[in-house]
Each structure stands twice: as C-alpha cells, then as structure tokens.
Amino acid sequence: MAARSFFLGLRRASNTKIKIGANSDSECFFRSRFLSSGSSQNECFDEETSNSDGKDDLKSRIFRISLPKRSATNVIQRWVSEGNQATVSELRHILKELRKSQRYKHALEISEWMVTHKEFVLSDSDYATRIDLMTKVFGIHSGERYFEGLPLSAKTSETYTALLHSYAGAKWTEKAEELFERVKQSNLSFNALMYNEMMTLYMSVGQVEKVALVVEELKRKNVVPDIFTYNLWISSCAATLNIDQVKKILDEMNCDSGGSDDWVKYVNLVNIYITASHLVNAESSTLVEAEKSITQRQWITYDFLIILYAGLGNKDKIDQIWKSLRMTKQKMTSRNYICILSSYLMLGHLKEVGEIIDQWKQSATSEFDISACNRLLGAFSDVGLTEKANEFHMLLLQKNCAPTNASG
C-alpha cells in the first residue's frame, strides 16, 4: 500500500530531451506485438466520433473508446487525417489522464504513436513512462527488455527509477538489488525517489534492517531526503521499536533547512503518536505475529503512513487507509485509534474525530481507553497545540468520555 503512494514523481516533466531512432530491435519487437492487437479503423468509427457530450476534441474521442481491444492509435490517425493537429503536449496530457484511469493499453498506444512519429522529441520522462506502461500491459520482462535496448544516453535517472519501481512493485528483491548496484556505480545523479523505491521494497518484504543501509547510501551520495524518505526511515525504526533512533531522525528533520510546514506538522504528529501510544524501546527486536494476517510491524507501518498523509494534508488517503484497516478484521489497539484520532484532529476534521470515538466505544475487540486519550491531550499540549487539545477535550465531554487531568 505504501508503495503506491511514493511514485508520483515519475510523472514530472523533464527538461532533458533525447531523440531515439524508431527502428531499434526492442522498439520493433514491441511495436509489432502491440499494434497487432488494434482493431480496424472502421470498427470504432461510430463510437469515437459520437458527440453526445458536446465535445469533439482528441481527448474526448479517445476517452469514448469503451473497450480496451479498440485502438487509440486509429483515433489519432483519423483525427490527423481530418486536418487536425496532435501536439506532443496534448498527447502527454491525454496519456497522463489515461494512466490515472488505469487505461494502460490505450496510454501505451499513445506512447507508441509518439515514438513512431519522428517529429516528436521525447523526454526522459516519456521513456520512463513507456517502461511503466509496458510493465503494466505486457509484464515486467517486457519493460526490462525495453530498458536494456535503450542506448546509453537514454538510460537516465528517470528510466532507471521506472524499472526499479517495476521490480519493487513485484517484490523482485534480487533484481532490484542488482539494478540498485548498477545505479550506485553509475555517474548519474538521482533524487530521493530512487532510494525511496528501495526502502519501500525492503519494508514490503519485511527486511526493515536494510532500510538504514539505503539511507547511508543516500547520504553518501549527498542526496537530499524528502518527507517520504523520512517516513520510511522512521517506520523502519518504529517497526522494531527503536524509539531512540526515531527521536534522532526527528531532530534531524527539525534541523533540515528544507523543512516546510508539512514537515513541522509531520514531526509534531510523530511526537504525539509516540507519546500518546506509549511506544517504548523493546528489549528485543523480535515482534510477535498477530493472530490474523497482519503483523504488529505492519500495523506500526500503516500508522506512520496515516501520519505521513496527515502531514501532507491528504484526508482522502487517510480515509482510504483507515477503511482498509477496518476491513482486515484484525483486532485494533488503542494505538491505532490514537493514530487516526490525532491525524484527523491535526487536520481540523472534528466530525471524523467524533466518528472515530464512536467506533472505538462500539468496538467489540478494543476497549475504549480514556488513559490513552489523556495522553493524547497531553501530547498535543506539549507540542504547543493547545487549541487542538481543547477541541479534543470538549469533544470527549460531548461523548460522555470525561478525561482526567492526568496525562500518563
């Protein structure tokens, strides 16, 4: 789950432009395989030109294709044959929207059109997108072969990161580590995204001890960590209850000159979470497996994912994660409720805070813990968020959950 929230950076525009011939072996292989699945131009004529919504532009025509087997390439060809233009910026925008809609086959067809028309000068990001789309449509091996077939000049930080993302998503640890070694030996400059991919992989396969090694490499290369890097690093330490290291990371974040308001909010939430959830250092790093399919380590990781999105102000993601966790039938603990309560409270969503209190009180598996709420009140006050603490205090009173003055 975490992995999917870290790769939006692949969509950013790149200023570096590369032009590659369309007749390389890898291009020919994928083009023949790809175009063979397209339908005839007449097959989708009525659908693509229907104009019930009042719009008749290229994007509208492509999005009116309802079946994956029908060809976006034919739509573009017809559009151009009518005397219209299909600019590279427009095609990139349509491709991006298709990816958002998970229409990967049509998105790949647009990418293919861009490659085969030599008037388009493709960017690093365009080639990275092709790797991602080939992986989704044809499988990881196809994306891998396409990457290996690129000339050296096209093997950039963007395309390396795209391939690593494919490996990480499939949890192909050995392949990812081999590629990461190539990255370390290259003279390319990478941002935090590449390292976040490796950290996400190690978290997803339970090799949390390797996260610190990735952080070491990141620092050795003088790469600036972002908030996702810190979240993964903190999550790995919290998963083994290495709370002293968590506090050191928070101190580092506070000293980071690039810290934003989101970072301050995130740091405050982590401090609140540790205090209110009574996380303490474990005498042993061994964590006991829960009865169901989710482990204690995973629960802490999900908690920090909620905290991350709270720091970024993304309520929709918080809603999705909490709904997913409630559907696991796993026994909730007071820590999980404290995490979601503090996140909603930080964002000022008092209605949701009240709903979480009701859920907690009605839970058949986790008794409502007023002492944890007391700690949450104290933790908000300790970081200077007295107004939030007062709002929470009043809400508890309204719910007939009178807190005490003690915060322990």
Side-chain angles (χ1 to χ4, degrees):
M1 182 180 297
R4 302 284 68 86
S5 320
F6 299 137
F7 315 121
L8 294 178
L10 284 176
R11 299 175 182 173
R12 66 188 185 281
S14 172
N15 293 325
T16 304
K17 303 294 182 180
I18 301 174
K19 190 170 184 178
I20 296 179
N23 56 357
S24 66
D25 290 341
S26 60
E27 283 288 351
C28 291
F29 170 80
F30 287 110
R31 187 171 301 114
S32 61
R33 179 181 179 186
F34 175 76
L35 293 179
S36 63
S37 65
S39 56
S40 68
Q41 292 188 15
N42 291 332
E43 182 181 350
C44 58
F45 174 76
D46 291 338
E47 185 174 50
E48 74 182 59
T49 56
S50 63
N51 196 20
S52 59
D53 60 0
K55 291 184 178 180
D56 187 29
D57 54 26
L58 181 57
K59 177 182 176 181
S60 299
R61 288 192 183 187
I62 290 174
F63 270 84
R64 280 195 291 267
I65 304 174
S66 58
L67 299 177
K69 70 177 183 178
R70 293 186 170 174
S71 172
T73 302
N74 290 341
V75 178
I76 303 174
Q77 289 172 341
R78 183 174 298 277
W79 176 259
V80 173
S81 70
E82 294 172 359
N84 301 304
Q85 285 190 329
T87 65
V88 68
S89 59
E90 182 181 19
L91 292 174
R92 283 173 179 152
H93 173 70
I94 296 172
L95 190 154
K96 179 179 179 181
E97 293 301 311
L98 287 169
R99 292 177 76 193
K100 285 182 180 179
S101 303
Q102 298 184 353
R103 293 175 57 174
Y104 302 121
K105 186 257 188 184
H106 290 149
L108 185 54
E109 286 178 323
I110 292 177
S111 175
E112 186 72 19
W113 173 276
M114 293 166 63
V115 168
T116 56
H117 288 72
K118 296 183 178 181
E119 66 269 23
F120 295 139
V121 180
L122 303 186
S123 69
D124 295 351
S125 189
D126 291 325
Y127 290 108
T129 297
R130 281 184 65 73
I131 292 171
D132 179 64
L133 289 172
M134 285 183 173
T135 296
K136 286 181 168 65
V137 176
F138 297 135
I140 295 177
H141 289 302
S142 295
E144 184 179 49
R145 284 194 295 267
Y146 175 74
F147 172 83
E148 296 298 349
L150 292 173
L152 186 61
S153 60
K155 291 177 179 175
T156 63
S157 60
E158 294 252 15
T159 51
Y160 267 109
T161 303
L163 183 58
L164 182 61
H165 174 56
S166 298
Y167 290 152
K171 298 183 181 180
W172 287 12
T173 306
E174 185 175 343
K175 282 279 192 179
E177 289 177 337
E178 290 175 0
L179 186 66
F180 192 58
E181 283 300 316
R182 289 171 62 179
V183 166
K184 289 161 64 175
Q185 300 303 319
S186 73
N187 294 321
L188 296 171
S189 296
F190 292 86
N191 59 21
L193 182 59
M194 169 66 74
Y195 301 89
N196 293 347
E197 292 282 2
M198 286 302 299
M199 295 166 74
T200 300
L201 171 61
Y202 286 139
M203 291 294 292
S204 68
V205 298
Q207 299 180 19
V208 294
E209 68 283 352
K210 292 186 176 181
V211 170
L213 300 177
V214 179
V215 175
E216 288 178 9
E217 179 63 20
L218 176 144
K219 292 187 173 184
R220 189 180 72 83
K221 292 284 191 177
N222 295 317
V223 176
V224 178
D226 59 21
I227 192 169
F228 296 97
T229 313
Y230 281 120
N231 186 74
L232 288 162
W233 190 11
I234 289 173
S235 296
S236 70
C237 295
T240 53
L241 298 184
N242 187 354
I243 305 306
D244 286 341
Q245 182 61 29
V246 171
K247 292 176 179 177
K248 290 178 182 177
I249 299 170
L250 294 176
D251 288 340
E252 180 178 323
M253 290 184 72
N254 278 322
C255 295
D256 195 307
S257 59
S260 63
D261 290 341
D262 289 342
W263 287 31
V264 173
K265 187 187 297 180
Y266 177 83
V267 170
N268 282 338
L269 271 168
V270 174
N271 277 314
I272 289 167
Y273 173 80
I274 290 173
T275 301
S277 300
H278 257 191
L279 287 184
V280 294
N281 287 324
E283 294 180 1
S284 170
S285 61
T286 302
L287 295 174
V288 179
E289 292 276 342
E291 292 181 3
K292 302 294 182 181
S293 59
I294 266 187
T295 66
Q296 188 80 343
R297 171 181 292 158
Q298 288 172 308
W299 272 113
I300 294 178
T301 302
Y302 286 130
D303 283 355
F304 275 95
L305 189 59
I306 290 173
I307 291 171
L308 169 66
Y309 284 116
L312 294 172
N314 193 329
K315 179 181 177 295
D316 289 342
K317 285 292 186 181
I318 297 172
D319 292 342
Q320 292 171 17
I321 297 169
W322 181 247
K323 181 180 179 181
S324 298
L325 289 178
R326 294 190 69 204
M327 291 173 64
T328 62
K329 298 181 181 180
Q330 171 68 24
K331 179 180 178 181
M332 295 279 190
T333 67
S334 63
R335 188 191 66 237
N336 306 129
Y337 284 107
I338 286 298
C339 175
I340 190 68
L341 281 172
S342 59
S343 296
Y344 279 135
L345 191 58
M346 177 68 84
L347 297 181
H349 295 289
L350 296 183
K351 175 178 175 288
E352 284 76 6
V353 173
E355 291 173 352
I356 297 299
I357 293 174
D358 290 338
Q359 292 172 16
W360 194 356
K361 291 176 68 177
Q362 295 166 11
S363 172
T365 59
S366 179
E367 184 177 352
F368 183 78
D369 187 353
I370 191 62
S371 65
C373 293
N374 287 331
R375 291 195 299 271
L376 183 56
L377 281 169
F380 267 97
S381 298
D382 289 344
V383 297
L385 298 171
T386 53
E387 183 178 348
K388 300 291 186 186
N390 290 336
E391 290 173 347
F392 185 52
H393 184 272
M394 292 302 297
L395 197 55
L396 287 172
L397 292 176
Q398 293 172 17
K399 298 291 183 180
N400 297 317
C401 308
T404 65
N405 292 327
S407 60

